[in-house]
Structure formats: structure tokens, C-alpha cells
């Protein structure tokens, strides 16, 4: 059977991954309401297509902080890629380089930043950072990331403590001897994270601390309200990722696409705004762009793609499922705006 949409890759991954691994990748916090709402919220948005616009030439290129990518879909940070494919994050990095898009590498990668940079030397990569309780470890990692040629630092701000993911608890999920990007090998047992490793005292002043360590632009991930978006801008970040951690942290929060509008309106182009969570079709991409996202990032779908005999040709087919619809009447990404969508009220 041909693989023609993301649900095909999802079904393949569920069939071929172990139950424990599938449950870890798929898990949401508590009752998984926010995880599921991330997807359902897109169904409430309708297009307002324009006609007779000469769609013979299309341009899907955009820029992220001045770097051009071929289309506005990047790869979000997810950990433990070797659970899905033996080469793990190295395969992901090669695919992102081949697609000319942005790959955000996770702190909990199973390959080092040096290994990732070596296999995709021309790739566009940001690094996602959790601040460790031992700040010296985080400082060394930031310096390694910068030396390896990463072009941005993504601070995840919505995880002072790990969310309660019931299937991981039932499965007693552990991933042993994880090789972290800094080179350490440690036992991960707390919902796949290192017990007592993430500093719960993280606060807005830590952005200044990171700025003192690196010249890399800082992107803040985990913003869901206009108040925090305004604080992020005032603290000098260069970008915001509207994210609820794929519904893995707090159950009962808003879908990311529902939170996007107030954040975009608050930021007013002072920084770039991106989004992850719930993107499954090209239509979802268009809806997010129309509501103000500069780019969207894929989390779980990238892991499904890794599970399926990954190579550049496969990734080309995989990405094709996100092709922007020519029937909407937009020649380029820059022409996508709110006039093209209508959000249904509950």
C-alpha cells in the first residue's frame, strides 16, 4: 500500500514500534485532552479561497531569523530518535538538510551534537535546551552547541516538572544509557527524562544568563498567553514557539492554534512567531500561517517518518503530504493572511 498521508506513516509506526516506545511517543498528559485538542482545533477553521489568481507559479520559500528555508515546515525537538531508527537523530539531520529546512535538535537526543553536525554539515539547525540543575552542565552544552555550528538556541520553558503520562507510568518506561548531546551517558527513568535533572527554579532572569553565555539567537518555546509573549519580547528573545509540548505537560491548556492569534497580535512583528502541535496536513500548515505563524514545526510525525525505512526519497514523499494547496489562491508564503481563513466560534 502506498504511503500518501501522515496517517499512513502513523499507522506504520504504531504497527512496527514496540508498545512501550509507541506509548512514549504518543503519550499526552493525564487524559490527553490537550493532545487531542491540538488536532481538533484545526477542524474549526475554514478557508476563504480566492479564484482566478494565476497559480501557474508557486513559491513556498520563507526565512527564519534571516536564513532561507525551502518551505515553512521544520522539525520540532523530540528525544530518543534511536528508538525509532538505528541512526536516530543523524538520519533526521540528513533529511532536514536534504529538504533545506530547520531541525531543532533535542537536549535528549541519542546522538551528540558533533555527530549530528558531521553528517549534515550544511544543515540549518537550532538546539533545544533544558536548563539542568547543575548549571555548569548546561553552560558546557551551550558552548559545545555553538562550537558545532548550530545557529540558534531554543529554550523550553514549560517543563519545571514533567507531566503525568499514564502509559509511561504503567509501562515503567526507561531508556538506559542515553548518549546526550554533551556526551554523557545516563539512565532516564522519569517519563523518559533524567530524574531531578531539570531545574524547576528557571525564571525570566535565566534568559539574561543564557544571553551572557552565547551569541546565538534565543527562541523561547512554550508560550501560550499574550502576557508571556510580551514578557518574552521585553527580555530580548528573537523568536517565540507557541507550544504546549504536544499536550505532554499540562492537560486542560489551549490548543496551540487557538493560542496563536493573541500572541501574534501582542508581539506585533517585534519577534518571529512559530508554532508546533497538531499539524497533520498541508491545510493545517496553511491555517497556522494564515493566523500569523512564520513557520510550523512537526514533532511526532517526524518520528513516524523515521520508523518507516527512512531515506531521502522517503522523506521527499513524506514532505509532499504538506504541499500547499494551489486552490487557495496564494502564490507565495508571504501572501498568506487572515483574510483567507475563518475561525468558527464554539
Amino acid at each position: 500500500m502506498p504511503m500518501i498521508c501522515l496517517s499512513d506513516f502513523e499507522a506504520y509506526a504504531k504497527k512496527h514500534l514496540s508498545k512501550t516506545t509507541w506509548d512514549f511517543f504518543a503519550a499526552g498528559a493525564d487524559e490527553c485532552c490537550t493532545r487531542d485538542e491540538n488536532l481538533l482545533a484545526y477542524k474549526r477553521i475554514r478557508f476563504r479561497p480566492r479564484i482566478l489568481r494565476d497559480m501557474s507559479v508557486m513559491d513556498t520559500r520563507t526565512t527564519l531569523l534571516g536564513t532561507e528555508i525551502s518551505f515553512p515546515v521544520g522539525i520540532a525537538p523530540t528525544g530518543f530518535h534511536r528508538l525509532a531508527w538505528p541512526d536516530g537523530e543523524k538520519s533526521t539531520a540528513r533529511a532536514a538538510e536534504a529538504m533545506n529546512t530547520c531541525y531543532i535538535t533535542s537536549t535528549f537526543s541519542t546522538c551528540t551534537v558533533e555527530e549530528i553536525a558531521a553528517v549534515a554539515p550544511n544543515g540549518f539547525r537550532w538546539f533545544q535546551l533544558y536548563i539542568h540543575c547543575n548549571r555548569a552542565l548546561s553552560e558546557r552544552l551551550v558552548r559545545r552547541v555553538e562550537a558545532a555550528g548550530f545557529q540558534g538556541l531554543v529554550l523550553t520553558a514549560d517543563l519545571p516538572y514533567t507531566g503525568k503520562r499514564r502509559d509511561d507510568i504503567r509501562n515503567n518506561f526507561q531508556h538506559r544509557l542515553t548518549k546526550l548531546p554533551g556526551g554523557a551517558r545516563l539512565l532516564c527513568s522519569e517519563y523518559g527524562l533524567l530524574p531531578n535533572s531539570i531545574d524547576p527554579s528557571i525564571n525570566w532572569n535565566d534568559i539574561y544568563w543564557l544571553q551572557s553565555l552565547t551569541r546565538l539567537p534565543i527562541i523561547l518555546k512554550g508560550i501560550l498567553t499574550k502576557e508571556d509573549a510580551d514578557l518574552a519580547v521585553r527580555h530580548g528573545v528573537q523568536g517565540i514557539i507557541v507550544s504546549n509540548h504536544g499536550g505532554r505537560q499540562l492537560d486542560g491548556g489551549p490548543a496551540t492554534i487557538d493560542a496563536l492569534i493573541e500572541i501574534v497580535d501582542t508581539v506585533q512583528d517585534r519577534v518571529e512567531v512559530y508554532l508546533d502541535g497538531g499539524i497533520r496536513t498541508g491545510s493545517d500548515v496553511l491555517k497556522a500561517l494564515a493566523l500569523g505563524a512564520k513557520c510550523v514545526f512537526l514533532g511526532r510525525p517526524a518520528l513516524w517518518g523515521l520508523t518507516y525505512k527512512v531515506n531521502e526519497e522517503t522523506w521527499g514523499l513524506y514532505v509532499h503530504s504538506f504541499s500547499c494547496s494551489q486552490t487557495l489562491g496564494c502564490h507565495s508564503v508571504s501572501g498568506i493572511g487572515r483574510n483567507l481563513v475563518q475561525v468558527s466560534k464554539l
Side-chain angles (χ1 to χ4, degrees):
M1 181 179 295
M3 309 291 278
I4 60 173
C5 62
L6 290 194
S7 61
D8 293 337
F9 288 92
E10 181 180 14
Y12 182 94
K14 186 173 184 178
K15 180 178 179 180
H16 289 85
L17 292 172
S18 70
K19 181 181 183 302
T20 298
T21 297
W22 171 260
D23 286 347
F24 173 68
F25 288 158
D30 292 308
E31 296 179 297
C32 300
C33 296
T34 297
R35 180 200 66 181
D36 297 342
E37 185 64 15
N38 273 348
L39 281 72
L40 294 172
Y42 284 94
K43 310 302 182 186
R44 296 192 289 270
I45 303 172
R46 296 290 181 265
F47 288 125
R48 301 180 66 252
R50 302 298 304 276
I51 61 172
L52 299 176
R53 308 271 284 188
D54 184 5
M55 303 305 296
S56 57
V57 178
M58 295 285 292
D59 184 4
T60 62
R61 294 173 299 172
T62 191
T63 60
L64 300 186
L65 300 181
T67 298
E68 184 177 280
I69 57 176
S70 60
F71 57 100
V73 180
I75 301 177
T78 52
F80 309 124
H81 284 201
R82 278 183 170 157
L83 291 176
W85 189 256
D87 276 351
E89 289 80 7
K90 291 188 288 186
S91 287
T92 308
R94 281 192 292 261
E97 182 183 58
M99 295 185 295
N100 187 29
T101 194
C102 181
Y103 168 36
I104 307 177
T105 304
S106 170
T107 291
F108 290 101
S109 297
T110 46
C111 302
T112 68
V113 292
E114 291 82 6
E115 290 170 337
I116 292 167
V119 299
N122 298 313
F124 177 32
R125 293 178 301 276
W126 292 344
F127 184 82
Q128 174 271 327
L129 179 71
Y130 293 116
I131 294 182
H132 198 279
C133 288
N134 182 344
R135 294 297 180 98
L137 290 179
S138 293
E139 182 174 346
R140 288 198 295 270
L141 182 53
V142 168
R143 299 194 189 284
R144 262 186 112 116
V145 164
E146 191 165 10
F150 283 67
Q151 294 104 313
L153 194 64
V154 178
L155 175 63
T156 294
D158 62 351
L159 203 147
Y161 297 96
T162 51
K164 183 180 179 181
R165 301 193 286 274
R166 296 176 183 179
D167 283 340
D168 289 345
I169 298 171
R170 294 186 181 103
N171 294 333
N172 190 28
F173 177 81
Q174 294 187 353
H175 187 51
R176 295 181 181 274
L177 296 178
T178 298
K179 182 189 264 187
L180 299 182
R185 290 180 174 270
L186 298 163
L187 171 64
C188 297
S189 61
E190 183 182 354
Y191 311 114
L193 301 182
L194 305 175
N196 304 313
S197 62
I198 297 175
D199 189 349
S201 73
I202 182 173
N203 60 75
W204 289 102
N205 290 327
D206 289 313
I207 294 175
Y208 298 139
W209 175 68
L210 287 176
Q211 290 167 340
S212 74
L213 300 180
T214 180
R215 296 180 180 179
L216 294 177
I218 294 174
I219 301 94
L220 192 60
K221 178 178 179 288
I223 299 290
L224 290 171
T225 64
K226 61 183 180 182
E227 293 87 355
D228 282 341
D230 185 59
L231 282 168
V233 174
R234 286 162 51 191
H235 282 79
V237 304
Q238 283 74 44
I240 287 171
I241 301 179
V242 180
S243 175
N244 56 26
H245 220 101
R248 295 167 71 83
Q249 274 303 102
L250 174 66
D251 203 23
T256 52
I257 192 66
D258 288 340
L260 178 62
I261 294 178
E262 71 172 66
I263 291 170
V264 169
D265 288 346
T266 296
V267 167
Q268 290 291 319
D269 295 323
R270 291 177 290 170
V271 300
E272 293 185 357
V273 178
Y274 321 115
L275 175 141
D276 67 20
I279 300 288
R280 297 294 182 268
T281 67
S283 294
D284 295 340
V285 175
L286 284 166
K287 290 170 183 178
L289 298 181
L291 293 177
K294 179 78 169 177
C295 179
V296 301
F297 288 89
L298 310 179
R300 293 181 181 95
L303 295 167
W304 305 337
L306 269 180
T307 306
Y308 182 80
K309 302 179 181 178
V310 65
N311 55 44
E312 290 184 14
E313 292 180 0
T314 299
W315 273 103
L317 169 65
Y318 188 67
V319 173
H320 182 69
S321 64
F322 287 100
S323 296
C324 292
S325 172
Q326 293 181 315
T327 60
L328 190 57
C330 280
H331 308 88
S332 65
V333 171
S334 62
I336 300 172
R338 287 190 192 175
N339 60 307
L340 296 176
V341 294
Q342 178 178 349
V343 181
S344 301
K345 302 296 183 182
L346 291 180

